Amino acid sequence: MYRAEGRDMATLPLYRFVTGSLRVDFLKPTPISGTLEIRGRVKDIKGRKVIVETTVLVGGVASDTLAEQ
């Protein structure tokens, strides 16, 4: 929405977003110690619906994959 309007995300008016559904595929246990790296990408945009895939990495190895709609 911000990009379509050619403006930065920190500008007003702010948009509010809601997670319609969330699916988590646990690939292996995620350690509670150490640094987690989270990488995300937009998979699809259909009108107001945006599908985002996010991967949690520990030591460069994927631990979880999240898909939000």
Side-chain angles (χ1 to χ4, degrees):
M1 297 174 85
Y2 293 94
R3 187 180 298 163
E5 295 179 2
R7 62 188 184 100
D8 188 72
M9 289 182 67
T11 59
L12 296 174
L14 298 175
Y15 288 109
R16 303 286 182 219
F17 300 95
V18 182
T19 299
S21 66
L22 177 66
R23 187 189 81 228
V24 179
D25 294 328
F26 295 99
L27 306 177
K28 59 177 70 177
T30 302
I32 57 172
S33 61
T35 302
L36 300 178
E37 178 181 347
I38 301 173
R39 295 183 187 173
R41 68 181 184 95
V42 175
K43 289 184 65 176
D44 197 12
I45 299 175
K46 296 178 183 175
R48 293 179 28 188
K49 181 178 182 177
V50 179
I51 299 174
V52 179
E53 181 178 80
T54 307
T55 302
V56 178
L57 298 111
V58 180
V61 178
S63 177
D64 302 318
T65 300
L66 311 167
E68 292 186 41
Q69 297 185 31

